[in-house]
Amino acid sequence: MPAGGPTQSDRSVRVQVPGHEYEVRIGTGLLSRIGETLGASSSVRPGSRVFLAHDANLPQAVASAAGRSLETSGFRVSAAALRADESDKTLSALQPILVELAKSRQERHEPLIALGGGLVGDLAGFAGAIYRRGIPVIQCPTTLLSMVDASVGGKTGANLAIEPGDSGLLKNVIGAFHQPILVLADVSTLISLPDRQYRSGIAECIKHGLLSADFGDPGLADWTAAQLDSIVARDATILAELIQRNIAVKAAVVRGDEREVSPTGGRALLNLGHTFGHAIETLTGLTLPGFPAGPLLHGEAVALGLIAATACSAASGSCPPSLLAQVQSQIAKTGLSTKVQGLPPDAQLLSRMGHDKKVEGGSLRLILPAGSGRSKVARDPSPAHIQSGWAAIRA
Ligand code: GLY
């Protein structure tokens, strides 16, 4: 095995999109070997400056281990800590990253490493996409959610505040497609993840199971349901398989439709549960029964969105009613909430859904599960069916 190459226990998925091909490596201890890995990569010049943008909430040891490994391998490291907060994920949060990149005289060929959860990956990845019109980005996700979804596929971006207050903050409406040159998913970072955050990532895995039959893994939903106890317990072997299979599904989706332009769904299918979820994710004043008051995590909003989308699908006759019970039961078993208190009236929720990126020519495109591991696009679903979705999660 070459120095910096994968160890025997590492797993790997290749992502191919037009003009880009890169590896997603999944393993334990990848961050403490990151210097060797970059040293062995033909995409990074020896002795380059490397900009390490890391989540300020990460255990200090994680960012330090990565920085030490890079320095030991001869890279010159500049670092910036980012506060990972959904309300801060705006254009104004980009400015300090860009200023630090410029101050550290980062050149166009020199990489930025985004080390943290999806929010850091999106924001730092966006900075990497626009600084000097694009520098190489290496995504190092440290949450389950960002490992199985956000770090793969090249979506970067920020929220846009169109009005003061939480209802004026629109999710991810600005951004750029900027594929990373490498993704390192170090499973050991999941061990110290707070329970609520960890479990919220399982929502994206449940989502993939609802659409994976068309993307090479028809058995993913059943396997995930059967392994939920081990997944919740963070069993390392099961986790590695979970992450690899989910990334493989995501890679297959992205390979077919990188820019989300397919009329039959393609990448837009990954927004299953997100049109409902995004409409409530940035709202304050919502409470999940049994949880302290405070904003929803992305995965918690997605979990509720999956239930709402399935209820909407069942109401419109697009999936068997038994699918709703299955989705609710998997989400409950994960320890995620299946209901939310404090939802605004349906009319307000419908209006917020109208701001979603999936609106085309003024018509709403919802992704609905169809059963048997398949999902489909529904154009302009009836408001009554959408209301059935909201009713299913309203506490
Ligand atoms: N997270 C959805 C996508 O990457 O398209």
Side-chain angles (χ1 to χ4, degrees):
M1 183 189 68
T7 67
Q8 257 179 356
S9 57
D10 292 345
R11 294 167 181 248
S12 177
V13 177
R14 286 209 78 77
V15 183
Q16 291 165 305
V17 290
H20 297 276
E21 180 169 346
Y22 55 94
E23 181 190 10
V24 183
R25 199 177 293 177
I26 305 131
T28 301
L30 296 182
L31 290 171
S32 49
R33 293 184 262 135
I34 188 170
E36 283 172 63
T37 304
L38 297 205
S41 163
S42 56
S43 316
V44 184
R45 294 187 203 163
S48 288
R49 180 169 300 285
V50 174
F51 191 87
L52 185 60
H54 61 91
D55 184 339
N57 294 320
L58 266 184
Q60 185 53 39
V62 176
S64 304
R68 254 195 325 275
S69 168
L70 289 161
E71 280 169 354
T72 306
S73 296
F75 294 103
R76 292 166 296 144
V77 181
S78 314
L82 310 190
R83 276 190 53 220
D85 180 329
E86 197 60 42
S87 59
D88 286 334
K89 188 189 161 186
T90 58
L91 279 178
S92 47
L94 270 181
Q95 171 82 6
I97 312 174
L98 297 169
V99 167
E100 286 306 317
L101 279 164
K103 278 188 175 167
S104 65
R105 299 183 184 278
Q106 186 91 3
E107 294 183 13
R108 198 168 181 190
H109 69 277
E110 294 175 320
L112 173 151
I113 296 175
L115 174 63
L119 202 146
V120 168
D122 277 8
L123 207 52
F126 190 26
I130 58 177
Y131 176 71
R132 294 187 185 272
R133 299 194 179 85
I135 59 174
V137 169
I138 296 161
Q139 291 282 357
C140 296
T142 58
T143 62
L144 179 60
L145 191 140
S146 56
M147 287 183 189
V148 298
D149 185 24
S151 63
V152 177
K155 275 192 181 174
T156 69
N159 300 334
L160 186 67
I162 56 166
E163 289 164 12
D166 56 323
S167 57
L169 191 64
L170 304 183
K171 281 274 300 170
N172 296 337
V173 293
I174 47 173
F177 288 99
H178 189 60
Q179 296 293 339
I181 58 167
L182 175 70
V183 181
L184 297 175
D186 189 335
V187 180
S188 44
T189 59
L190 299 183
I191 302 308
S192 59
L193 207 60
D195 208 41
R196 185 170 172 187
Q197 207 177 11
Y198 172 73
R199 288 173 192 242
S200 79
I202 302 174
E204 295 285 359
C205 303
I206 296 172
K207 176 195 83 176
H208 284 150
L210 290 167
L211 55 86
S212 60
D214 288 322
F215 300 97
D217 195 349
L220 182 60
D222 287 347
W223 179 86
T224 306
Q227 301 298 339
L228 260 182
D229 287 340
S230 305
I231 294 169
V232 169
R234 310 188 201 193
D235 176 297
T237 312
I238 296 295
L239 259 185
E241 179 169 350
L242 176 79
I243 295 165
Q244 182 183 28
R245 287 176 72 164
N246 276 274
I247 291 174
V249 168
K250 171 120 195 206
V253 175
V254 169
R255 181 169 58 235
D257 182 26
E258 182 199 8
R259 299 269 158 163
E260 207 170 306
V261 290
S262 164
T264 54
R267 189 166 184 166
L269 295 176
L270 294 175
N271 288 294
L272 173 60
H274 285 59
T275 305
F276 284 99
H278 281 167
I280 57 174
E281 187 178 341
T282 52
L283 287 179
T284 49
L286 301 183
T287 312
L288 300 175
F291 287 88
L296 305 189
L297 299 179
H298 176 66
E300 291 171 335
V302 169
L304 291 163
L306 290 176
I307 294 172
T310 313
C312 175
S313 184
S316 66
S318 300
C319 78
S322 57
L323 187 63
L324 176 58
Q326 280 167 30
V327 173
Q328 281 168 323
S329 136
Q330 279 191 40
I331 287 171
K333 204 169 164 195
T334 300
L336 290 164
S337 188
T338 58
K339 301 273 183 195
V340 57
Q341 286 164 346
L343 279 183
D346 285 348
Q348 197 177 322
L349 293 167
L350 279 167
S351 154
R352 289 182 65 77
M353 291 172 95
H355 278 299
D356 192 81
K357 298 190 298 307
K358 302 295 127 358
V359 171
E360 245 184 19
S363 75
L364 182 64
R365 288 194 308 158
L366 258 190
I367 312 302
L368 299 181
S372 307
R374 295 198 157 77
S375 289
K376 61 173 195 179
V377 181
R379 281 177 203 281
D380 278 330
S382 97
H385 296 152
I386 296 177
Q387 277 163 0
S388 302
W390 289 119
I393 59 168
R394 195 182 281 282

